[in-house]
Amino acid sequence: MLEVHEKYIFFVVGAVCLLLSSTVYAEDLKSTDANIVGHVIEKSTREHLPYMTVSLKGTTIGTMTDATGHYFLKNLPEGEFTLSVSAVGYKSQERKVVLKRGKTLEENFELEEDMVALDGVVVTANRSETARRLAPTLVKVVTPKLFEQTNSHTLSQGLVFQPGVRVETDCQNCGYSQVRINGLDGKYTQILIDSRPIFSSLAGVYGLEQIPANMIERVEVVRGGGSALFGSSAIAGTVNIITKEPVRNSGSFSHTISNFDGSGSFDNNTALNLSLVSSDNKMGAYVYGQNRHRSAWDSNGDGFSELPKLKNQTIGLNAYYRTSAYSKLSLEYHHMEEFRRGGSGFSLPPHIAEDADLNGTGAPGLVEQLKHSINTGGLKFTAFSKDQKHTFSTYASAQHIVRDSYYSAYGMTTDFTGVLGAQYIYHFDKCLFMPADLTGGIEFNHDKLHDKATDAQKYRDAALAEDPAATGDRLQQLIEKHTPDPLHQVVNIASAYAQNEWKNEQWSFLIGGRVDKNSIMDKTVFSPRANIRYNPTQDVNIRFSYAEGFRAPQAFDEDLHISNVGGKLVSIVRAKGLKEERSRSLNASVDWYHYFGDFQANLLVEGFYTKLSDPFVLTPPVKAPDGSAYLIQTRINGSGAKVYGGTLEGKIAYKDKVQLQAGLTLQRSIYDSPEEWSADEEHLSEKERSSNKILRTPNVYGYFTATCTPVKAFSIALNGNYTGRMYVPHLLSEVNGEADVLVKSPDFFEFGAKMAYDIDFQGFCLQLNAGVQNIFNSYQKDFDKGASRDSGYIYGPGAPRSYFAGVKLSF
């Protein structure tokens, strides 16, 4: 029990510091009777716009227009401020206001539509709120609207509708997935929750499916290493999950049921949201929950699943308390419970389902089963100075995971991750030659991971199978031989970062860097970044970025996933003397916006290049040297690699009636020298066993989304996702003795459609929706079969054709 308490000392200390900070800045919100009233209307139709965000910049004060498009801000501080009005789908507006005691101002706004999201606010570009058009780094945004239009209930489903981003499934048994950005696999991407690197290695194994869409306000995606200040591991890019905050009194309830290709397998999703805000906007809370139940799916009828059974429940809370007009304390917490099981014999306990003598089939079974209990939370305190030049924030975040697993043997994994940090921003009216923002911060990240095998009977049986007469010390030695070594890893990372960004409407010059001292490395590593933005006209953004990064030689998420090949377990170990991996990234882009009457258009052209030195490479699976039943893959340093290519993305919108968006990525991912993918020396030559291609990476992939709203109550949404051909290893020699094969997969095009109809009642909206995902059933046809299958031989879309219908009630 004492050990459990020690895990939370880190977080508690940070929380206490935050609360003490908030009391220093706390002050009564004085009754100044300085007020602002007004309304917001749409410029062309003159209709009042409800639920527009109205805020005083440089303070914590804000509200939303009501259902009639009016707003009221009361008891405001005296002085000169910038009043801002914004909303998704509209151009933001700002104006200066002078507030005086006892005076009420009337400020009315007329907003224009912005269907290409030019003026959206992002934070991932420079760790501070910035208009996307003026951000030094290209930031793409996944909105709740996109999740809804594409019937995406989790982070993994919605992320694929971004250029340069793929989400792939890597295990036929448990459905392990990862995000690939610009051709690099998941371990090269930094996943953040509210800008904090709290997404641990263990959470990264299945976390993309565990994050429900209804807790997400937006997802900000930065491709390339241009956001290195968030962590040196942001080599391929950064995925920043911004969670929802309370903005008005509202709520919703929804349920969607999906069916896999007319079979008896279903996926049920139920979501509930409730937002509450006090009448004076001093405090608010957003509560959310989701329940998901998915049946297992067997694509080829062999009695072994291709999609695992899932049960997932999430509850969470986002809350804030304004300690003054210039400071705010924010709280985020969510709890997840997940059960997933793949393989065969779903009605039986795992160890019985695998036993040919006990499972009732007379043939060996196969089971991968996991239970996750995840608690994640964070506190953040933000304060602005009254002259609006200083911004200070401090934060503490923590995540604790307990996982019970069965990979042909029972195991237990625990992981605690904690982050403490502080950040300061100073706004220069002029620094040398133009206005600038100086950003600096410190961060401490602690991760304690413990993974052990608990199936004593399994290893005893394996020992006796090798030597039935073994007893005493001999038996104990054999048991130890067959018992996997526990993994105990403690990583402490002390970091500091600083950057200065000179910027105006036309130019932005950013120079910065991050220093990291990782406890498992002897030396401190410096990772620089530099960005240039140039706007020759208001409609054109040109950006260049350079960044360096590194990854320490530690255990990563895929090390905690055990796959099966030929009925044997495959485990990952690290080579002795493994060195850190270094990266250098270059990105360049041109972003063009234009208005043609009622039409809005956006065209993006981007190029990227990443050079990897001493990249981490996994050797092909070989028999464990100790003679145990495991196959071993070893992480070694490769000869070097490079990933380069380009992305083309376009958007066009006609008012709020029709929107079309599409993106295409062309790329190459290659090693400097061929790396071995197969250990099949019996059937393959040395040249045939090696490849200079980074496997499982297509040279071409893309997406599109389209929506049509002929009348206000009815909408039609279409979406598509294209995955080009790629090379995938198929380890047949471990399955049936045939030669290993490097398969060139077919290409895939997923096409989906959704229709929705809204019925308005007094204060309520009922939506009915239905559609089909992957209409043409573009899905892998050659899955391995039976208990001896190569579970890693899986590629293409994550699910077959699916029919769905749903209902949503909002108020």
Side-chain angles (χ1 to χ4, degrees), residues 157-187:
Q157 293 171 319
L159 269 182
V160 298
F161 299 103
Q162 287 291 297
V165 178
R166 290 181 55 243
V167 176
E168 67 175 28
T169 302
D170 287 338
C171 181
Q172 197 177 354
N173 296 331
C174 66
Y176 161 48
S177 61
Q178 62 172 316
V179 60
R180 287 178 177 258
I181 297 180
N182 286 356
L184 292 169
D185 60 22
K187 55 185 175 291

Side-chain angles (χ1 to χ4, degrees), residues 250-375:
S250 60
S252 69
F253 170 83
S254 65
H255 180 79
T256 302
I257 182 171
S258 302
N259 174 263
F260 294 133
D261 203 25
S263 68
S265 296
F266 292 87
D267 190 350
N268 282 276
N269 283 272
T270 304
L272 176 67
N273 308 310
L274 183 63
S275 177
L276 299 171
V277 179
S278 64
S279 59
D280 58 2
N281 288 310
K282 187 174 181 178
M283 63 183 70
Y286 176 82
V287 181
Y288 56 88
Q290 185 186 47
N291 183 78
R292 183 184 187 190
H293 189 292
R294 185 181 75 186
S295 307
W297 162 254
D298 179 7
S299 175
N300 53 17
D302 66 342
F304 295 79
S305 65
E306 271 65 60
L307 289 178
K309 179 179 181 179
L310 283 180
K311 292 181 181 179
N312 187 294
Q313 297 86 36
T314 302
I315 57 172
L317 167 73
N318 266 20
Y320 72 83
Y321 176 75
R322 286 200 295 124
T323 56
S324 78
Y326 299 98
S327 58
K328 182 172 74 171
L329 184 65
S330 303
L331 166 70
E332 193 278 329
Y333 168 77
H334 63 266
H335 173 76
M336 298 179 184
E337 289 284 339
E338 185 195 61
F339 171 89
R340 65 171 60 215
R341 176 166 171 171
S344 61
F346 285 87
S347 62
L348 301 172
H351 61 284
I352 293 179
E354 284 196 336
D355 194 320
D357 297 327
L358 300 177
N359 61 21
T361 67
L366 174 66
V367 175
E368 289 190 17
Q369 177 176 295
L370 303 107
K371 297 179 182 179
H372 292 96
S373 180
I374 305 174
N375 288 285

Side-chain angles (χ1 to χ4, degrees), residues 460 463-464 467 470-480:
R460 181 182 178 86
L464 291 174
D467 183 357
T471 59
D473 292 341
R474 168 63 176 163
L475 177 60
Q476 186 60 37
Q477 290 174 356
L478 290 175
I479 291 175
E480 292 176 359

Side-chain angles (χ1 to χ4, degrees), residues 609-626:
Y609 177 89
T610 299
K611 174 66 176 175
L612 302 176
S613 301
D614 298 314
F616 296 147
V617 175
L618 289 177
T619 65
V622 296
K623 293 181 179 180
D626 61 5

Side-chain angles (χ1 to χ4, degrees), residues 420-639:
L420 294 177
Q423 178 176 287
Y424 170 75
I425 302 174
Y426 181 75
H427 305 278
F428 291 96
D429 293 330
K430 186 175 183 181
C431 177
L432 299 179
F433 51 91
M434 68 171 60
D437 288 343
L438 174 65
T439 302
I442 55 174
E443 198 167 73
F444 181 76
N445 189 303
H446 169 80
D447 185 84
K448 183 177 181 180
L449 174 68
H450 186 68
D451 181 77
K452 65 178 180 178
T454 61
D455 202 336
Q457 186 60 47
K458 186 88 172 185
Y459 307 120
R460 181 182 178 86
D461 291 344
L464 291 174
E466 179 175 340
D467 183 357
T471 59
D473 292 341
R474 168 63 176 163
L475 177 60
Q476 186 60 37
Q477 290 174 356
L478 290 175
I479 291 175
E480 292 176 359
K481 168 185 172 181
H482 289 279
T483 303
D485 293 332
L487 172 64
H488 184 72
Q489 177 178 272
V490 177
V491 179
N492 293 312
I493 306 174
S495 308
Y497 58 86
Q499 69 178 24
N500 197 60
E501 182 187 2
W502 293 267
K503 62 180 179 180
N504 56 27
E505 288 287 328
Q506 188 173 32
W507 287 97
S508 173
F509 303 95
L510 185 150
I511 298 177
R514 180 182 176 104
V515 176
D516 292 278
K517 179 59 178 75
N518 191 304
S519 61
I520 66 173
M521 296 174 59
D522 295 330
K523 58 184 178 181
T524 299
V525 178
F526 174 66
S527 304
R529 70 175 289 201
N531 302 79
I532 299 175
R533 170 186 56 83
Y534 173 52
N535 292 27
T537 69
Q538 189 174 8
D539 295 337
V540 177
N541 290 2
I542 302 173
R543 294 181 174 92
F544 299 91
S545 68
Y546 171 81
E548 296 183 11
F550 81 99
R551 293 194 303 141
Q554 63 189 66
F556 293 99
D557 49 10
E558 68 269 31
D559 301 9
L560 304 168
H561 164 261
I562 300 177
S563 58
N564 289 76
V565 175
K568 296 182 179 180
L569 299 176
V570 181
S571 184
I572 295 173
V573 299
R574 285 164 286 167
K576 293 183 178 179
L578 187 67
K579 298 185 295 184
E580 76 271 11
E581 178 180 7
R582 302 301 299 264
S583 69
R584 293 177 172 85
S585 299
L586 288 168
N587 281 67
S589 65
V590 179
D591 217 355
W592 174 75
Y593 298 86
H594 199 69
Y595 292 83
F596 304 90
D598 291 331
F599 288 87
Q600 301 176 41
N602 170 222
L603 182 66
L604 167 69
V605 179
E606 180 187 24
F608 57 88
Y609 177 89
T610 299
K611 174 66 176 175
L612 302 176
S613 301
D614 298 314
F616 296 147
V617 175
L618 289 177
T619 65
V622 296
K623 293 181 179 180
D626 61 5
S628 65
Y630 272 73
L631 296 174
I632 299 296
Q633 285 187 283
T634 304
R635 178 174 287 112
I636 62 174
N637 291 114
S639 59

